[in-house]
Amino acid sequence: MTQFEIYSVASVSLFGLGLFGLIALPNILRKILSFNVLGVGIFLFLVATAQRDDPTQPDPVPQAMVLTGIVVAVSVTAFALALLQRLHGETGMTMLDDEKAESDQ
Amino acid sequence: MRDPSPWVILIPLTSAGFALLLGHRSIARFGVVAAAFTTIASAFLVVDVWRHGTRRYPVGGWDAPLGIELVVDGLAALMIAMTAVVGLLISIYSFRYFSDPPDLTRLRESADVRPSIGEPWGQSRAFWPLWLFLWASINIVFLSGDMFNIYVGLEIMGVSAVALVTLSRGAVATLSATKYLIAAVIGSMLYLMGVAILYASFSTLDLQELSVRIEPGNPATVALVLMSAGLLLKTALFPLHFWLPAAHSAAPAPVSAILSALVIKASFYLFLRLWMDVFMQTTTRSGAVFVGLLATAAIIWGSLQAIRQIRLKPLIAYSTVAQVGYLFLLIPLAVPIATDSWNVSATEGGVYHAISHALAKAAMFLAAGAVMQALGGTDEIGEMAGLAARLPISAFAIGLAGVSLMGLPPSGGYVAKWLMMNAAFDTAQPWWAIIIVVGGGLTAIYMFKFIGLAFRKPVEGSSFLPSSAWLEGPAFILAVLSILVGLRATPIVELLSK
């Protein structure tokens, strides 16, 4: 296995794990963490792509994408945490399948 | 303005940042002026594309493949125009909606009305920056010629749209917003993974360059599936619509209008762009038919759910679920069956439907907001008996918009359905035409459920507050436009071919 293949397999596994968590876990905080795992999977894949052809002269384009992607991921995470805090304050919920707030209506 | 394309992004983006500094009093005035300038820039852009055809603008003077290009063809120009018209009227509506609290206390005490959603009054300092950011991001998605740039646009769009939903106070809105955020994030992450795979395989992010370099094979197929799934989730095609009815009905009325009319159109546009240009060689008939079956399920399921609703805003939101189905019906109609090229009539029909739905649905949500205020905050349809006598302009706006959704002549919806049915018969797939007709009938059922009640005599003791021309006016203009857009179809179809 080449270095690129090892990284690809690892990144696709992280992507799959994160996607599974984001869809299947009911706890919202775990969903936010899963989103970060998923993001790391994509970033790892991009960094591996950058080094694939010539490790001494990496392609800057995927690295720029990763940098922007990290900024986006941090902002989305911050926003999601703020939203979760407000949800918890208003309803006491931390899980999505807890339908208390909906039946209150 | 020598080249107007960067301005339709720069004006809303910089005004959004500037609006953060403004106080409660001046921000609404500033917001409307910013919206007007964005609309003027959009008009310049449309005229420019009309005269000179497709426009390319290298950002910062760096040409592709090194730099990022803004590309405006007829389709993008039409979407920009749609966003400008709808966006300007929603901005005028929001000028009053978010600043003036209506006098509800009197009504509350007398009629024991429970508001259906939280109250957005006094939220203008949060609304205007978010709305202007959202407008900028929608225009980025329409104009950008770079896959990754579009991803950034999608993320700004998702976050500002979710934040706008939370302007309705209360647990229901926060929970709907949380679900919306999760759906939006999954969608954009699937898209980003697709972008990463495409770059790894074909070493370019430029849409045009990519459509030349791309070769059918595993990487292209995986990227197509991931990106399509992400965009279907963002556009809320059945069965990925689960987040839409809650989010679109819990949001304040102008935000519901923005979400239903514009935001889902941006992800739909991107889906169309990918299938039409980039993945032309990768898409298959079976994939297109699969999308068509989902679209059929969306039309039927969304309409049946709309018929069951007892509140007006969820009814309109489920109607959006059904109308999204119509948008995606263009895919099986347009993807070539044998070696023929992409069907133009189907594309025209789908794009026409996107435009007339944007006008009609924005009109409906804005009018519903005016009605809710007049009723003291509730949107239960049972309370709306006699609406046509008390708030004739709003009732008429919802009725006119309904005519366009049903696809009755001479509305925009009629032209869209006519073009799509033409495509169905041209490509010898008449069964899609049956679905178009059945969907129109179902739309009529849920629209008449509301209209029939609105024209009934008012119930004894029911009280409506008077509404304001600031609220009813924009809704009515949008409804009239959704009809008028059917009368002048030629220039719109012509612009699409530029």
Side-chain angles (χ1 to χ4, degrees), chain A residues 15 22 31 35 38 42 45 49 52 59 61-62 65 68 72 80 83 86 90-91 93 102 105, chain B residues 148 151 155 162-163 166 168 170-171 174-175 179 181-182 185-186 189 193 196 199-200 205 311:
Chain A
F15 179 82
L22 202 46
K31 278 187 191 287
F35 157 69
L38 194 164
I42 300 176
F45 181 72
T49 306
R52 180 181 47 181
D59 178 0
V61 175
M65 286 163 73
T68 317
V72 171
L83 198 59
R86 175 165 150 176
E90 279 171 349
T91 64
M93 290 168 68
E102 279 183 340
Q105 195 191 347
Chain B
F148 187 73
Y151 161 74
E155 286 285 22
V162 174
T166 65
S168 290
T174 313
L175 183 62
K179 287 181 180 167
L181 179 67
I182 292 164
V185 157
I186 296 176
M189 281 295 142
M193 192 65 201
Y199 188 81
L205 293 169
R311 284 174 43 203

mmCIF file of all heavy atoms in Angstrom, chain A residues 15 22 31 35 38 42 45 49 52 59 61-62 65 68 72 80 83 86 90-91 93 102 105, chain B residues 148 151 155 162-163 166 168 170-171 174-175 179 181-182 185-186 189 193 196 199-200 205 311:
data_model
loop_
_atom_site.group_PDB
_atom_site.id
_atom_site.type_symbol
_atom_site.label_atom_id
_atom_site.label_comp_id
_atom_site.label_asym_id
_atom_site.label_seq_id
_atom_site.Cartn_x
_atom_site.Cartn_y
_atom_site.Cartn_z
ATOM 1 N N PHE A 15 -14.637 9.713 7.469
ATOM 2 C CA PHE A 15 -15.814 10.307 6.826
ATOM 3 C C PHE A 15 -17.053 9.470 7.123
ATOM 4 O O PHE A 15 -18.098 9.990 7.532
ATOM 5 C CB PHE A 15 -15.566 10.397 5.314
ATOM 6 C CG PHE A 15 -16.713 10.967 4.528
ATOM 7 C CD1 PHE A 15 -16.899 12.328 4.429
ATOM 8 C CD2 PHE A 15 -17.623 10.127 3.881
ATOM 9 C CE1 PHE A 15 -17.957 12.856 3.715
ATOM 10 C CE2 PHE A 15 -18.682 10.648 3.162
ATOM 11 C CZ PHE A 15 -18.836 12.017 3.082
ATOM 12 N N LEU A 22 -23.438 11.619 12.681
ATOM 13 C CA LEU A 22 -24.268 12.793 12.400
ATOM 14 C C LEU A 22 -25.714 12.389 12.129
ATOM 15 O O LEU A 22 -26.655 13.074 12.520
ATOM 16 C CB LEU A 22 -23.670 13.518 11.196
ATOM 17 C CG LEU A 22 -23.986 14.990 10.962
ATOM 18 C CD1 LEU A 22 -23.845 15.790 12.235
ATOM 19 C CD2 LEU A 22 -23.075 15.540 9.889
ATOM 20 N N LYS A 31 -23.590 14.735 17.792
ATOM 21 C CA LYS A 31 -23.736 15.063 16.369
ATOM 22 C C LYS A 31 -22.719 16.122 15.966
ATOM 23 O O LYS A 31 -22.092 16.042 14.905
ATOM 24 C CB LYS A 31 -25.151 15.586 16.078
ATOM 25 C CG LYS A 31 -26.205 14.504 15.887
ATOM 26 C CD LYS A 31 -27.506 15.141 15.438
ATOM 27 C CE LYS A 31 -28.679 14.176 15.491
ATOM 28 N NZ LYS A 31 -28.664 13.154 14.444
ATOM 29 N N PHE A 35 -19.735 15.743 13.287
ATOM 30 C CA PHE A 35 -19.505 16.665 12.172
ATOM 31 C C PHE A 35 -18.018 17.001 12.070
ATOM 32 O O PHE A 35 -17.452 17.055 10.977
ATOM 33 C CB PHE A 35 -20.360 17.926 12.369
ATOM 34 C CG PHE A 35 -19.865 19.129 11.647
ATOM 35 C CD1 PHE A 35 -19.916 19.204 10.261
ATOM 36 C CD2 PHE A 35 -19.343 20.215 12.338
ATOM 37 C CE1 PHE A 35 -19.452 20.319 9.594
ATOM 38 C CE2 PHE A 35 -18.879 21.323 11.682
ATOM 39 C CZ PHE A 35 -18.937 21.377 10.305
ATOM 40 N N LEU A 38 -16.135 14.014 10.717
ATOM 41 C CA LEU A 38 -16.400 13.946 9.280
ATOM 42 C C LEU A 38 -15.526 14.956 8.526
ATOM 43 O O LEU A 38 -14.886 14.637 7.519
ATOM 44 C CB LEU A 38 -17.885 14.261 9.070
ATOM 45 C CG LEU A 38 -18.576 13.971 7.759
ATOM 46 C CD1 LEU A 38 -20.066 14.011 7.989
ATOM 47 C CD2 LEU A 38 -18.215 14.952 6.699
ATOM 48 N N ILE A 42 -12.449 14.546 5.551
ATOM 49 C CA ILE A 42 -12.309 15.218 4.256
ATOM 50 C C ILE A 42 -10.969 15.961 4.174
ATOM 51 O O ILE A 42 -10.268 15.906 3.159
ATOM 52 C CB ILE A 42 -13.484 16.191 4.024
ATOM 53 C CG1 ILE A 42 -14.809 15.435 4.032
ATOM 54 C CG2 ILE A 42 -13.311 16.934 2.706
ATOM 55 C CD1 ILE A 42 -16.031 16.324 3.913
ATOM 56 N N PHE A 45 -8.072 13.662 3.577
ATOM 57 C CA PHE A 45 -8.059 13.232 2.183
ATOM 58 C C PHE A 45 -7.434 14.313 1.300
ATOM 59 O O PHE A 45 -6.620 14.023 0.412
ATOM 60 C CB PHE A 45 -9.485 12.923 1.725
ATOM 61 C CG PHE A 45 -9.578 12.444 0.316
ATOM 62 C CD1 PHE A 45 -9.143 11.177 -0.025
ATOM 63 C CD2 PHE A 45 -10.083 13.262 -0.685
ATOM 64 C CE1 PHE A 45 -9.212 10.727 -1.333
ATOM 65 C CE2 PHE A 45 -10.151 12.831 -1.993
ATOM 66 C CZ PHE A 45 -9.713 11.551 -2.321
ATOM 67 N N THR A 49 -4.025 14.178 -0.859
ATOM 68 C CA THR A 49 -4.025 14.468 -2.290
ATOM 69 C C THR A 49 -2.915 15.452 -2.646
ATOM 70 O O THR A 49 -2.238 15.304 -3.660
ATOM 71 C CB THR A 49 -5.383 15.080 -2.697
ATOM 72 O OG1 THR A 49 -6.404 14.215 -2.267
ATOM 73 C CG2 THR A 49 -5.466 15.269 -4.193
ATOM 74 N N ARG A 52 0.411 13.641 -2.925
ATOM 75 C CA ARG A 52 0.409 12.365 -3.618
ATOM 76 C C ARG A 52 1.507 12.256 -4.670
ATOM 77 O O ARG A 52 2.274 11.294 -4.697
ATOM 78 C CB ARG A 52 -0.959 12.141 -4.269
ATOM 79 C CG ARG A 52 -1.103 10.843 -5.019
ATOM 80 C CD ARG A 52 -2.458 10.730 -5.629
ATOM 81 N NE ARG A 52 -2.826 11.968 -6.323
ATOM 82 C CZ ARG A 52 -3.977 12.167 -6.950
ATOM 83 N NH1 ARG A 52 -4.876 11.212 -6.958
ATOM 84 N NH2 ARG A 52 -4.229 13.298 -7.559
ATOM 85 N N ASP A 59 1.028 20.188 -3.577
ATOM 86 C CA ASP A 59 0.121 21.058 -4.332
ATOM 87 C C ASP A 59 -0.584 22.009 -3.348
ATOM 88 O O ASP A 59 -1.222 21.547 -2.401
ATOM 89 C CB ASP A 59 -0.902 20.155 -5.048
ATOM 90 C CG ASP A 59 -1.934 20.952 -5.829
ATOM 91 O OD1 ASP A 59 -1.846 22.193 -5.817
ATOM 92 O OD2 ASP A 59 -2.820 20.327 -6.442
ATOM 93 N N VAL A 61 -3.195 23.965 -3.697
ATOM 94 C CA VAL A 61 -4.647 24.181 -3.794
ATOM 95 C C VAL A 61 -5.430 23.394 -2.728
ATOM 96 O O VAL A 61 -6.237 23.976 -2.005
ATOM 97 C CB VAL A 61 -5.144 23.877 -5.224
ATOM 98 C CG1 VAL A 61 -6.662 23.979 -5.292
ATOM 99 C CG2 VAL A 61 -4.524 24.848 -6.204
ATOM 100 N N PRO A 62 -5.195 22.075 -2.583
ATOM 101 C CA PRO A 62 -5.943 21.363 -1.530
ATOM 102 C C PRO A 62 -5.623 21.898 -0.147
ATOM 103 O O PRO A 62 -6.500 21.925 0.724
ATOM 104 C CB PRO A 62 -5.464 19.911 -1.664
ATOM 105 C CG PRO A 62 -4.870 19.808 -3.004
ATOM 106 C CD PRO A 62 -4.343 21.158 -3.351
ATOM 107 N N MET A 65 -7.738 24.741 0.445
ATOM 108 C CA MET A 65 -9.104 24.293 0.725
ATOM 109 C C MET A 65 -9.243 23.839 2.169
ATOM 110 O O MET A 65 -10.240 24.121 2.829
ATOM 111 C CB MET A 65 -9.482 23.139 -0.217
ATOM 112 C CG MET A 65 -9.754 23.572 -1.639
ATOM 113 S SD MET A 65 -9.707 22.186 -2.793
ATOM 114 C CE MET A 65 -11.206 21.336 -2.405
ATOM 115 N N THR A 68 -9.407 26.900 4.510
ATOM 116 C CA THR A 68 -10.742 27.507 4.472
ATOM 117 C C THR A 68 -11.748 26.592 5.149
ATOM 118 O O THR A 68 -12.608 27.046 5.907
ATOM 119 C CB THR A 68 -11.157 27.760 3.013
ATOM 120 O OG1 THR A 68 -10.041 28.300 2.319
ATOM 121 C CG2 THR A 68 -12.317 28.710 2.935
ATOM 122 N N VAL A 72 -14.398 27.313 8.209
ATOM 123 C CA VAL A 72 -15.839 27.062 8.113
ATOM 124 C C VAL A 72 -16.284 26.112 9.222
ATOM 125 O O VAL A 72 -17.286 26.350 9.900
ATOM 126 C CB VAL A 72 -16.196 26.487 6.716
ATOM 127 C CG1 VAL A 72 -17.640 26.018 6.692
ATOM 128 C CG2 VAL A 72 -15.958 27.526 5.637
ATOM 129 N N ALA A 80 -23.387 25.914 16.077
ATOM 130 C CA ALA A 80 -24.187 24.762 16.520
ATOM 131 C C ALA A 80 -24.195 24.668 18.040
ATOM 132 O O ALA A 80 -25.229 24.374 18.649
ATOM 133 C CB ALA A 80 -23.633 23.483 15.904
ATOM 134 N N LEU A 83 -26.519 27.242 19.434
ATOM 135 C CA LEU A 83 -27.907 26.826 19.208
ATOM 136 C C LEU A 83 -28.301 25.743 20.213
ATOM 137 O O LEU A 83 -29.399 25.761 20.778
ATOM 138 C CB LEU A 83 -28.035 26.307 17.776
ATOM 139 C CG LEU A 83 -29.434 26.207 17.186
ATOM 140 C CD1 LEU A 83 -30.115 27.558 17.192
ATOM 141 C CD2 LEU A 83 -29.348 25.673 15.753
ATOM 142 N N ARG A 86 -28.952 27.242 23.572
ATOM 143 C CA ARG A 86 -30.268 27.896 23.630
ATOM 144 C C ARG A 86 -31.381 26.847 23.714
ATOM 145 O O ARG A 86 -32.328 26.997 24.485
ATOM 146 C CB ARG A 86 -30.430 28.768 22.387
ATOM 147 C CG ARG A 86 -31.797 29.380 22.306
ATOM 148 C CD ARG A 86 -31.831 30.501 21.301
ATOM 149 N NE ARG A 86 -33.167 30.589 20.730
ATOM 150 C CZ ARG A 86 -33.545 31.512 19.871
ATOM 151 N NH1 ARG A 86 -32.692 32.417 19.472
ATOM 152 N NH2 ARG A 86 -34.761 31.521 19.395
ATOM 153 N N GLU A 90 -34.043 26.500 26.715
ATOM 154 C CA GLU A 90 -35.486 26.673 26.522
ATOM 155 C C GLU A 90 -36.284 25.416 26.854
ATOM 156 O O GLU A 90 -37.418 25.490 27.292
ATOM 157 C CB GLU A 90 -35.767 27.085 25.070
ATOM 158 C CG GLU A 90 -35.547 28.564 24.844
ATOM 159 C CD GLU A 90 -35.611 28.938 23.383
ATOM 160 O OE1 GLU A 90 -35.619 28.025 22.527
ATOM 161 O OE2 GLU A 90 -35.634 30.141 23.096
ATOM 162 N N THR A 91 -35.698 24.249 26.574
ATOM 163 C CA THR A 91 -36.483 23.028 26.691
ATOM 164 C C THR A 91 -35.847 21.986 27.609
ATOM 165 O O THR A 91 -36.503 21.020 27.975
ATOM 166 C CB THR A 91 -36.653 22.359 25.320
ATOM 167 O OG1 THR A 91 -35.347 21.972 24.873
ATOM 168 C CG2 THR A 91 -37.267 23.310 24.313
ATOM 169 N N MET A 93 -33.656 20.050 26.515
ATOM 170 C CA MET A 93 -33.334 18.915 25.646
ATOM 171 C C MET A 93 -31.846 18.870 25.319
ATOM 172 O O MET A 93 -31.219 19.906 25.138
ATOM 173 C CB MET A 93 -34.078 19.044 24.310
ATOM 174 C CG MET A 93 -35.561 18.848 24.399
ATOM 175 S SD MET A 93 -36.302 19.383 22.854
ATOM 176 C CE MET A 93 -35.690 18.126 21.751
ATOM 177 N N GLU A 102 -42.037 19.531 21.018
ATOM 178 C CA GLU A 102 -43.043 19.497 19.966
ATOM 179 C C GLU A 102 -44.438 19.258 20.537
ATOM 180 O O GLU A 102 -45.412 19.827 20.086
ATOM 181 C CB GLU A 102 -42.696 18.410 18.952
ATOM 182 C CG GLU A 102 -41.649 18.917 17.966
ATOM 183 C CD GLU A 102 -41.336 17.891 16.910
ATOM 184 O OE1 GLU A 102 -41.622 16.699 17.150
ATOM 185 O OE2 GLU A 102 -40.793 18.276 15.872
ATOM 186 N N GLN A 105 -46.450 22.248 22.058
ATOM 187 C CA GLN A 105 -46.972 23.302 21.200
ATOM 188 C C GLN A 105 -48.475 23.452 21.279
ATOM 189 O O GLN A 105 -49.210 22.631 20.890
ATOM 190 C CB GLN A 105 -46.564 22.980 19.761
ATOM 191 C CG GLN A 105 -46.747 24.165 18.871
ATOM 192 C CD GLN A 105 -46.602 23.792 17.424
ATOM 193 O OE1 GLN A 105 -46.141 22.719 17.097
ATOM 194 N NE2 GLN A 105 -47.000 24.676 16.551
ATOM 195 N N PHE B 148 -15.127 24.870 -5.089
ATOM 196 C CA PHE B 148 -14.888 25.069 -3.664
ATOM 197 C C PHE B 148 -15.481 26.391 -3.188
ATOM 198 O O PHE B 148 -16.016 26.483 -2.085
ATOM 199 C CB PHE B 148 -13.388 25.013 -3.357
ATOM 200 C CG PHE B 148 -13.122 25.043 -1.883
ATOM 201 C CD1 PHE B 148 -13.381 23.930 -1.099
ATOM 202 C CD2 PHE B 148 -12.648 26.186 -1.267
ATOM 203 C CE1 PHE B 148 -13.168 23.953 0.266
ATOM 204 C CE2 PHE B 148 -12.433 26.216 0.104
ATOM 205 C CZ PHE B 148 -12.690 25.095 0.873
ATOM 206 N N TYR B 151 -18.876 25.812 -2.415
ATOM 207 C CA TYR B 151 -19.039 25.167 -1.102
ATOM 208 C C TYR B 151 -19.079 26.221 0.002
ATOM 209 O O TYR B 151 -19.936 26.167 0.895
ATOM 210 C CB TYR B 151 -17.896 24.174 -0.842
ATOM 211 C CG TYR B 151 -17.753 23.844 0.626
ATOM 212 C CD1 TYR B 151 -18.670 23.015 1.253
ATOM 213 C CD2 TYR B 151 -16.729 24.404 1.391
ATOM 214 C CE1 TYR B 151 -18.578 22.747 2.609
ATOM 215 C CE2 TYR B 151 -16.628 24.135 2.745
ATOM 216 C CZ TYR B 151 -17.549 23.317 3.344
ATOM 217 O OH TYR B 151 -17.464 23.068 4.688
ATOM 218 N N GLU B 155 -22.146 27.034 2.666
ATOM 219 C CA GLU B 155 -22.051 27.052 4.131
ATOM 220 C C GLU B 155 -22.552 28.373 4.704
ATOM 221 O O GLU B 155 -23.279 28.383 5.701
ATOM 222 C CB GLU B 155 -20.607 26.805 4.585
ATOM 223 C CG GLU B 155 -20.167 25.358 4.438
ATOM 224 C CD GLU B 155 -20.753 24.429 5.497
ATOM 225 O OE1 GLU B 155 -21.787 24.768 6.093
ATOM 226 O OE2 GLU B 155 -20.182 23.353 5.711
ATOM 227 N N VAL B 162 -30.272 29.190 8.902
ATOM 228 C CA VAL B 162 -30.671 28.597 10.180
ATOM 229 C C VAL B 162 -30.785 29.679 11.246
ATOM 230 O O VAL B 162 -31.732 29.702 12.037
ATOM 231 C CB VAL B 162 -29.657 27.516 10.614
ATOM 232 C CG1 VAL B 162 -29.979 27.013 12.004
ATOM 233 C CG2 VAL B 162 -29.666 26.365 9.637
ATOM 234 N N ALA B 163 -29.830 30.614 11.266
ATOM 235 C CA ALA B 163 -29.878 31.686 12.261
ATOM 236 C C ALA B 163 -31.145 32.519 12.087
ATOM 237 O O ALA B 163 -31.736 32.969 13.068
ATOM 238 C CB ALA B 163 -28.637 32.559 12.146
ATOM 239 N N THR B 166 -34.157 31.101 13.851
ATOM 240 C CA THR B 166 -34.200 31.275 15.306
ATOM 241 C C THR B 166 -34.716 32.655 15.712
ATOM 242 O O THR B 166 -34.867 32.914 16.903
ATOM 243 C CB THR B 166 -32.812 31.083 15.938
ATOM 244 O OG1 THR B 166 -31.963 32.115 15.457
ATOM 245 C CG2 THR B 166 -32.225 29.746 15.591
ATOM 246 N N SER B 168 -37.642 33.631 15.349
ATOM 247 C CA SER B 168 -38.883 33.341 16.057
ATOM 248 C C SER B 168 -38.469 32.847 17.424
ATOM 249 O O SER B 168 -37.760 31.861 17.537
ATOM 250 C CB SER B 168 -39.664 32.229 15.361
ATOM 251 O OG SER B 168 -40.187 32.667 14.164
ATOM 252 N N GLY B 170 -38.747 31.033 21.041
ATOM 253 C CA GLY B 170 -39.502 29.890 21.538
ATOM 254 C C GLY B 170 -38.888 28.558 21.162
ATOM 255 O O GLY B 170 -38.066 28.458 20.247
ATOM 256 N N ALA B 171 -39.295 27.528 21.903
ATOM 257 C CA ALA B 171 -38.681 26.219 21.791
ATOM 258 C C ALA B 171 -38.914 25.577 20.434
ATOM 259 O O ALA B 171 -38.027 24.922 19.889
ATOM 260 C CB ALA B 171 -39.227 25.311 22.897
ATOM 261 N N THR B 174 -36.473 26.951 17.922
ATOM 262 C CA THR B 174 -35.091 26.522 18.166
ATOM 263 C C THR B 174 -34.897 25.066 17.765
ATOM 264 O O THR B 174 -33.886 24.709 17.154
ATOM 265 C CB THR B 174 -34.740 26.698 19.656
ATOM 266 O OG1 THR B 174 -35.173 27.985 20.078
ATOM 267 C CG2 THR B 174 -33.257 26.585 19.879
ATOM 268 N N LEU B 175 -35.884 24.226 18.094
ATOM 269 C CA LEU B 175 -35.771 22.811 17.736
ATOM 270 C C LEU B 175 -35.786 22.645 16.208
ATOM 271 O O LEU B 175 -34.972 21.891 15.651
ATOM 272 C CB LEU B 175 -36.917 22.022 18.370
ATOM 273 C CG LEU B 175 -36.884 20.519 18.134
ATOM 274 C CD1 LEU B 175 -35.618 19.914 18.740
ATOM 275 C CD2 LEU B 175 -38.109 19.838 18.702
ATOM 276 N N LYS B 179 -32.699 21.065 13.801
ATOM 277 C CA LYS B 179 -32.838 20.007 12.786
ATOM 278 C C LYS B 179 -32.409 20.514 11.413
ATOM 279 O O LYS B 179 -31.777 19.794 10.632
ATOM 280 C CB LYS B 179 -34.290 19.531 12.727
ATOM 281 C CG LYS B 179 -34.679 18.698 13.925
ATOM 282 C CD LYS B 179 -36.119 18.236 13.791
ATOM 283 C CE LYS B 179 -36.521 17.403 14.994
ATOM 284 N NZ LYS B 179 -37.969 17.207 15.054
ATOM 285 N N LEU B 181 -30.230 22.851 10.818
ATOM 286 C CA LEU B 181 -28.775 22.987 10.774
ATOM 287 C C LEU B 181 -28.121 21.634 10.493
ATOM 288 O O LEU B 181 -27.198 21.534 9.679
ATOM 289 C CB LEU B 181 -28.244 23.564 12.091
ATOM 290 C CG LEU B 181 -26.726 23.715 12.141
ATOM 291 C CD1 LEU B 181 -26.253 24.780 11.165
ATOM 292 C CD2 LEU B 181 -26.219 24.050 13.536
ATOM 293 N N ILE B 182 -28.617 20.589 11.164
ATOM 294 C CA ILE B 182 -28.015 19.270 10.961
ATOM 295 C C ILE B 182 -28.180 18.832 9.503
ATOM 296 O O ILE B 182 -27.227 18.368 8.865
ATOM 297 C CB ILE B 182 -28.638 18.250 11.935
ATOM 298 C CG1 ILE B 182 -28.211 18.599 13.366
ATOM 299 C CG2 ILE B 182 -28.218 16.830 11.584
ATOM 300 C CD1 ILE B 182 -29.028 17.952 14.438
ATOM 301 N N VAL B 185 -25.834 20.882 7.309
ATOM 302 C CA VAL B 185 -24.427 20.517 7.476
ATOM 303 C C VAL B 185 -24.119 19.187 6.784
ATOM 304 O O VAL B 185 -23.102 19.059 6.098
ATOM 305 C CB VAL B 185 -24.095 20.467 8.986
ATOM 306 C CG1 VAL B 185 -22.893 19.601 9.240
ATOM 307 C CG2 VAL B 185 -23.863 21.862 9.521
ATOM 308 N N ILE B 186 -25.010 18.198 6.929
ATOM 309 C CA ILE B 186 -24.790 16.922 6.239
ATOM 310 C C ILE B 186 -24.732 17.178 4.731
ATOM 311 O O ILE B 186 -23.851 16.680 4.026
ATOM 312 C CB ILE B 186 -25.910 15.906 6.571
ATOM 313 C CG1 ILE B 186 -25.895 15.554 8.056
ATOM 314 C CG2 ILE B 186 -25.731 14.633 5.740
ATOM 315 C CD1 ILE B 186 -27.037 14.639 8.476
ATOM 316 N N MET B 189 -21.452 18.841 3.698
ATOM 317 C CA MET B 189 -20.297 17.954 3.854
ATOM 318 C C MET B 189 -20.248 16.903 2.739
ATOM 319 O O MET B 189 -19.172 16.579 2.230
ATOM 320 C CB MET B 189 -20.365 17.266 5.221
ATOM 321 C CG MET B 189 -19.907 18.145 6.344
ATOM 322 S SD MET B 189 -18.163 18.491 6.134
ATOM 323 C CE MET B 189 -17.989 20.128 6.618
ATOM 324 N N MET B 193 -17.106 16.501 0.130
ATOM 325 C CA MET B 193 -16.390 15.254 -0.155
ATOM 326 C C MET B 193 -16.363 15.014 -1.663
ATOM 327 O O MET B 193 -15.345 14.588 -2.211
ATOM 328 C CB MET B 193 -17.078 14.093 0.573
ATOM 329 C CG MET B 193 -16.277 12.807 0.590
ATOM 330 S SD MET B 193 -14.752 12.961 1.531
ATOM 331 C CE MET B 193 -13.771 11.631 0.881
ATOM 332 N N ALA B 196 -13.703 17.168 -3.112
ATOM 333 C CA ALA B 196 -12.372 16.635 -2.836
ATOM 334 C C ALA B 196 -12.038 15.492 -3.786
ATOM 335 O O ALA B 196 -10.926 15.421 -4.337
ATOM 336 C CB ALA B 196 -12.302 16.159 -1.379
ATOM 337 N N TYR B 199 -11.309 16.852 -7.242
ATOM 338 C CA TYR B 199 -9.996 17.486 -7.363
ATOM 339 C C TYR B 199 -8.898 16.434 -7.375
ATOM 340 O O TYR B 199 -7.937 16.531 -8.145
ATOM 341 C CB TYR B 199 -9.746 18.495 -6.236
ATOM 342 C CG TYR B 199 -8.482 19.266 -6.477
ATOM 343 C CD1 TYR B 199 -8.477 20.356 -7.338
ATOM 344 C CD2 TYR B 199 -7.270 18.858 -5.921
ATOM 345 C CE1 TYR B 199 -7.315 21.033 -7.626
ATOM 346 C CE2 TYR B 199 -6.099 19.524 -6.201
ATOM 347 C CZ TYR B 199 -6.123 20.616 -7.052
ATOM 348 O OH TYR B 199 -4.966 21.276 -7.350
ATOM 349 N N ALA B 200 -9.042 15.410 -6.545
ATOM 350 C CA ALA B 200 -8.030 14.355 -6.494
ATOM 351 C C ALA B 200 -7.925 13.629 -7.833
ATOM 352 O O ALA B 200 -6.851 13.185 -8.231
ATOM 353 C CB ALA B 200 -8.368 13.373 -5.379
ATOM 354 N N LEU B 205 -10.778 22.730 -10.031
ATOM 355 C CA LEU B 205 -11.993 23.088 -9.317
ATOM 356 C C LEU B 205 -12.900 23.931 -10.200
ATOM 357 O O LEU B 205 -14.032 24.214 -9.842
ATOM 358 C CB LEU B 205 -11.654 23.876 -8.048
ATOM 359 C CG LEU B 205 -10.926 23.093 -6.966
ATOM 360 C CD1 LEU B 205 -10.407 24.039 -5.895
ATOM 361 C CD2 LEU B 205 -11.838 22.057 -6.348
ATOM 362 N N ARG B 311 -53.154 24.382 9.991
ATOM 363 C CA ARG B 311 -52.561 25.718 10.112
ATOM 364 C C ARG B 311 -52.033 26.157 8.759
ATOM 365 O O ARG B 311 -51.591 25.337 7.953
ATOM 366 C CB ARG B 311 -51.441 25.704 11.144
ATOM 367 C CG ARG B 311 -51.961 25.676 12.594
ATOM 368 C CD ARG B 311 -50.817 25.518 13.570
ATOM 369 N NE ARG B 311 -49.710 26.388 13.173
ATOM 370 C CZ ARG B 311 -48.441 26.169 13.530
ATOM 371 N NH1 ARG B 311 -48.129 25.133 14.270
ATOM 372 N NH2 ARG B 311 -47.499 26.987 13.139
#
